[in-house]
Amino acid sequence: MSDVTTPRFRSVLDRFVAYKPGKVVVSPEGRSFKLSSNESPHGPLPSVLDAIGEAAANVNRYPDNNATALIEAIASHCGVPTDHVAVGCGSVGVSQMLLEAVAEPGAEIVYAWRSFEAYPLLVALSGASAVQVPLRDETHDLAAMADAITEHTRLVFVCNPNNPTGTVVRRAEIERFLDRVPADCLVVLDEAYREYVRDDEVPDGLAMYGDRPNLAVLRTFSKAYGLAGLRIGYLVAHPLVAGAIRKTFLPFSVNSVAQAAGVASLAATGELLARVEDTVKERERVRDALLADGWTVPPTEANFVWLRLGDRTTEFSEACDAQGVSVRPFAGEGARVSIGSPEENDAFLAVAHSFPHGG
Ligand SMILES: *Cc1c(COP(=O)(O)O)cnc(C)c1O
């Protein structure tokens, strides 16, 4: 027993460490390339900056708590009714809202592992139990995930493409999985990287949730739409689900600047998707260069690549740091490297090229 009396905290806080964001590193020559958080390498479009500036002039006022204009713009962009949409403070915020709506002690939440690092954190905080189903060949094992569902399972996260491996699950496989999930268990299809997908066999969740009231599609403005710093995510689902999730919204947690930027970004979808196309081309160039160098890189449909480095992960990450390239290492497993500008990607490829590797 410690002799210091402290405020009492939930015991769950002793069992995990707080979310670790991607870091910024600077080389001795002053170079700094951030490839650790899957952000867009581009700054906001002029039209979006204008909207941000206008909204900034009114920040003495509370935001529209119903995010009316933003939800209308999202609904129209997705071709769905407005009561199918709920927004939150990033899709991490929406994930927390989903858990607020379904999780309690005794409930189980199923997700693949390794996958998005926010899942274990949010599930632990929610009071529910996490059921992690190992990836198979760095890909969601949907059959094993369906097997892991019990009468206590309230929600299953399916991250497609998967962060950090970039791998996908395809239409037939997902439909087979959804057919096996009980109707009272919610499936959350996290499509944070949807805009980068070029494989036709990867279904668009929005085309799938129509006749499945237990399927919710999660999207974000943080990646292809380049607004990671403003924190907007959304969910599209049947009105019963969207309505339940809206009840858990932390009041005013999608701020007025974010709402305005989100509306302006959807209006500039064409320009933003052209940038995504450049990133997709760079992704193929980077993967091809790595393969030519003898690396093993799973096919990726996202804006990052995964290097299976095993126990050399930390060493690789340090070699990158020394050149001012920040990547996301998962010690003992591998490193996730975002696709950035051609110059940034070249800096990463140079490190990978000279790093001794057996594939
Ligand atoms: C980046 C990412 C998100 C986006 O999170 P925001 O809170 O919207 O910034 C969501 N899901 C996955 C799997 C991601 O990699």
Side-chain angles (χ1 to χ4, degrees):
M1 273 293 272
S2 148
D3 55 358
V4 183
T5 303
T6 68
R8 282 183 290 174
F9 299 109
R10 292 169 59 200
S11 58
V12 64
L13 297 192
D14 298 331
R15 297 203 296 272
F16 67 90
V17 289
Y19 182 81
K20 268 208 223 79
K23 59 189 185 322
V24 175
V25 295
V26 183
S27 77
E29 301 78 34
R31 292 192 308 169
S32 181
F33 301 125
K34 185 159 181 271
L35 301 179
S36 52
S37 297
N38 300 342
E39 297 146 329
S40 166
H42 305 282
L45 293 167
S47 61
V48 176
L49 268 185
D50 284 349
I52 288 172
E54 264 172 54
N58 293 304
V59 293
N60 53 314
R61 303 295 177 192
Y62 279 100
D64 171 8
N65 195 49
N66 296 320
T68 314
L70 177 60
I71 285 188
E72 277 172 7
I74 292 169
S76 136
H77 174 75
C78 296
V80 302
T82 53
D83 63 350
H84 290 210
V85 180
V87 295
C89 182
S91 51
V92 170
V94 181
S95 300
Q96 185 176 44
M97 290 163 65
L98 281 155
L99 291 168
E100 290 265 351
V102 303
E104 56 196 347
E108 293 170 358
I109 311 294
V110 172
Y111 55 86
W113 198 249
R114 174 169 288 280
S115 188
F116 188 32
E117 297 144 279
Y119 302 152
L121 181 81
L122 295 175
V123 172
L125 281 176
S126 78
S129 306
V131 177
Q132 300 186 338
V133 179
L135 298 175
R136 193 175 160 171
D137 299 330
E138 278 139 355
T139 308
H140 275 59
D141 184 348
L142 289 182
M145 289 176 76
D147 290 342
I149 295 173
T150 71
E151 60 186 304
H152 305 294
T153 310
R154 298 280 180 88
L155 186 152
V156 182
F157 283 110
V158 176
C159 186
N160 200 36
N162 186 48
N163 174 1
T165 55
T167 55
V168 291
V169 277
R170 299 189 174 80
R171 188 170 289 107
E173 219 182 328
I174 298 183
E175 279 173 356
R176 223 176 302 132
F177 168 75
L178 292 172
D179 289 344
R180 285 187 62 191
V181 179
D184 64 357
C185 173
L186 193 60
V187 176
V188 177
L189 192 56
D190 186 341
E191 296 189 329
Y193 302 98
R194 173 68 210 167
E195 293 83 358
Y196 301 95
V197 172
R198 292 295 176 270
D199 179 337
D200 291 339
E201 285 303 306
V202 178
D204 180 330
L206 296 178
M208 246 185 342
Y209 87 97
D211 55 359
R212 297 190 188 268
N214 66 334
L215 180 61
V217 181
L218 203 52
R219 297 273 177 98
T220 179
F221 282 87
S222 296
K223 308 286 157 58
Y225 281 81
L227 296 181
L230 284 180
R231 318 300 310 126
I232 322 164
Y234 60 96
L235 160 152
V236 179
H238 273 245
L240 219 70
V241 174
I245 302 315
R246 282 184 184 194
K247 286 187 189 170
T248 67
F249 182 62
L250 179 70
F252 307 120
S253 56
V254 177
N255 68 69
S256 47
V257 176
Q259 291 185 32
V263 170
S265 296
L266 288 173
T269 291
E271 276 172 278
L272 291 167
L273 294 187
R275 290 174 162 188
V276 167
E277 192 55 41
D278 293 341
T279 298
V280 168
K281 288 200 183 97
E282 275 296 290
R283 164 180 91 197
E284 300 312 320
R285 181 179 76 86
V286 167
R287 181 162 181 268
D288 289 347
L290 291 167
L291 294 177
D293 268 351
W295 287 90
T296 303
V297 190
T300 168
E301 291 288 323
N303 64 342
F304 51 83
V305 290
W306 172 249
L307 297 182
R308 191 192 302 135
L309 285 144
D311 48 16
R312 304 196 60 202
T313 301
T314 302
E315 191 189 335
F316 180 77
S317 166
E318 286 167 359
C320 289
D321 286 359
Q323 298 303 317
V325 178
S326 129
V327 303
R328 182 71 71 101
F330 299 95
E333 295 178 59
R336 188 194 69 202
V337 186
S338 310
I339 303 299
S341 66
E343 184 199 7
E344 292 172 317
N345 301 333
D346 284 342
F348 154 60
L349 287 173
V351 181
H353 184 72
S354 49
F355 189 83
H357 59 279

